[in-house]
Amino acid sequence: MKRVAITERPDWREKAAEFGFQFHTMYGEPYWCEEAYYQFTLAQIEEIENATAELHQMCLQVVEKVVNSDALMAKFCIPKHTWDFVRSSWRTQQPSLYSRLDLAYDGINPPKLLENNADTPTSLYEAAFFQWLWLEDQINAGKLDAASDQYNSLQEKLIERFADLQAHHGFSLLHLACCQDSEEDRGTVQYLQDCAQEAGLPSEFLFMEEIGLGEKGQFTDLQNQVIGNLFKLYPWEFMLREMFSTKLEDAGVRWLEPAWKCIISNKALLPLLWEMFPNHPNLLPAYFAQDDHPPLQHYVTKPLFSREGANIQIVQNGQEVARVDGPYGEEGMIVQQFHPLPQFEGSYTLIGSWLVDDQPCGIGLREDRELITQDLSRFYPHIILG
């Protein structure tokens, strides 16, 4: 695994505009970057892929354990009035679409799971589509070896999954929603809608704020059409606490992601994985902060519901070395052994390993000059060679 400098495509900004990539620069800072790329060997990619597949299956075993325990449902801070709703989503095998595991990997040592973005993972468009376009353009321009490949079947797998949801799960119309205030979320949902359309699955978009409640307790769109299937780029931990959460069970909606994803998108997943699979080579020691646990010399504290690095603190030898403020933490914290991200050119690099329909199918890489990866961390493309 190495970071290699390369000349940017002269027209990439025009291409971004052409293909609807509106958030390649955010708040005046570059988000998409292509003055360098990451190069992996096939063996390294296979190691990431195998670890991702195994970790995902372990996470599903956690769901099974949690839904069968009132004590664990409470420990995961799932509101009691939604327990039956969450349990039912698992026991009736409600289908999922996609997930992203965040891994620390240096190309030499086994990948380590930092967290699971199982509910509302972003950076999808750039991982699935825009970095593939970059690869093709750079090979055609003679800037990359013609034998260069990319670990990336994301778009193909998403289209297949949408076709499968229509053919085998009765999805006849899919509504897709996100909040109004995020250009990145809107771009991600637009991309998924394009994939659904490619699969022949009819779809309609609306903002979360526009979802209505019909007379019979069903959720409706702006045309008062009943919503039967809804992809929402909106976290379950918010939804389960809102006023309409009492209506979720009776609304008759099939959700993407399904409600059982609230268990494995929760940082409480990490101590439970360590308890169930102690000393697994792809896991880091992790514990509930309030429980008795072995002392950790270097550790990270994370709130159960943190996003984009918010409210995370890193402690080494009793000294705080990094912290990001934010709105989370009242729900409880976990501690996880600190595992430094590999450094390239003065930045720390994180791998987001994607799954669609429970199958690993691609990666995206993010860089940050800080120890804690956040929402504006830069995205870099990758290739496989050798």
Side-chain angles (χ1 to χ4, degrees), residues 228-297:
N229 308 294
L230 180 64
F231 171 88
K232 44 103 203 143
L233 202 65
Y234 188 70
W236 273 115
E237 70 262 19
F238 294 173
M239 286 180 63
L240 298 181
R241 281 161 178 75
E242 288 173 0
M243 194 167 61
F244 69 75
S245 62
T246 55
K247 310 288 185 187
L248 288 168
E249 197 163 5
D250 298 325
V253 177
R254 271 180 303 196
W255 300 91
L256 290 176
E257 294 299 314
W260 56 262
K261 284 286 191 89
C262 75
I263 293 171
I264 53 174
S265 62
N266 186 319
K267 304 296 187 301
L269 166 76
L270 301 167
L272 215 61
L273 279 172
W274 186 249
E275 179 187 305
M276 291 170 67
F277 306 98
N279 302 311
H280 188 282
N282 301 123
L283 294 178
L284 295 166
Y287 309 95
F288 289 99
Q290 72 269 27
D291 291 353
D292 289 334
H293 59 80
L296 297 172
Q297 192 175 9

Side-chain angles (χ1 to χ4, degrees), residues 266-375:
N266 186 319
K267 304 296 187 301
L269 166 76
L270 301 167
L272 215 61
L273 279 172
W274 186 249
E275 179 187 305
M276 291 170 67
F277 306 98
N279 302 311
H280 188 282
N282 301 123
L283 294 178
L284 295 166
Y287 309 95
F288 289 99
Q290 72 269 27
D291 291 353
D292 289 334
H293 59 80
L296 297 172
Q297 192 175 9
H298 312 299
Y299 63 89
V300 184
T301 61
K302 301 178 178 181
L304 300 193
F305 299 149
S306 171
R307 291 172 180 277
E308 309 287 14
N311 298 97
I312 287 177
Q313 175 196 35
I314 299 175
V315 174
Q316 291 184 270
N317 296 316
Q319 298 293 314
E320 181 185 290
V321 296
R323 158 194 291 272
V324 175
D325 293 327
Y328 304 101
E330 286 183 12
E331 69 278 11
M333 312 286 281
I334 65 115
V335 293
Q336 183 184 47
Q337 185 182 80
F338 175 59
H339 185 84
L341 292 171
Q343 261 191 296
F344 297 86
E345 307 288 329
S347 288
Y348 300 95
T349 303
L350 176 76
I351 295 176
S353 187
W354 289 92
L355 301 105
V356 173
D357 190 17
D358 298 325
Q359 301 301 313
C361 57
I363 56 172
L365 287 96
R366 306 279 297 280
E367 269 190 13
D368 205 299
R369 293 181 191 91
E370 304 297 328
L371 279 168
I372 300 170
T373 307
Q374 297 175 62
D375 59 343

Side-chain angles (χ1 to χ4, degrees), residues 45-76:
I45 290 296
E46 287 171 345
E47 185 174 23
I48 293 169
E49 184 173 46
N50 293 336
T52 300
E54 187 172 351
L55 285 164
H56 180 66
Q57 291 304 314
M58 289 155 58
C59 290
L60 297 182
Q61 290 182 56
V62 169
V63 180
E64 178 67 24
K65 182 165 183 164
V66 173
V67 297
N68 287 304
S69 164
D70 285 358
L72 286 172
M73 292 286 276
K75 203 153 193 176
F76 274 62

Side-chain angles (χ1 to χ4, degrees), residues 108 139 143 155 201-202 343:
I108 302 160
I139 289 174
K143 299 285 174 56
Q155 180 163 301
L201 174 59
Q343 261 191 296

Side-chain angles (χ1 to χ4, degrees), residues 26-41:
M26 291 195 269
Y27 309 105
E29 292 291 320
Y31 166 64
W32 168 268
C33 297
E34 56 175 73
E35 84 283 354
Y37 62 89
Y38 282 84
Q39 182 175 318
F40 295 85
T41 65

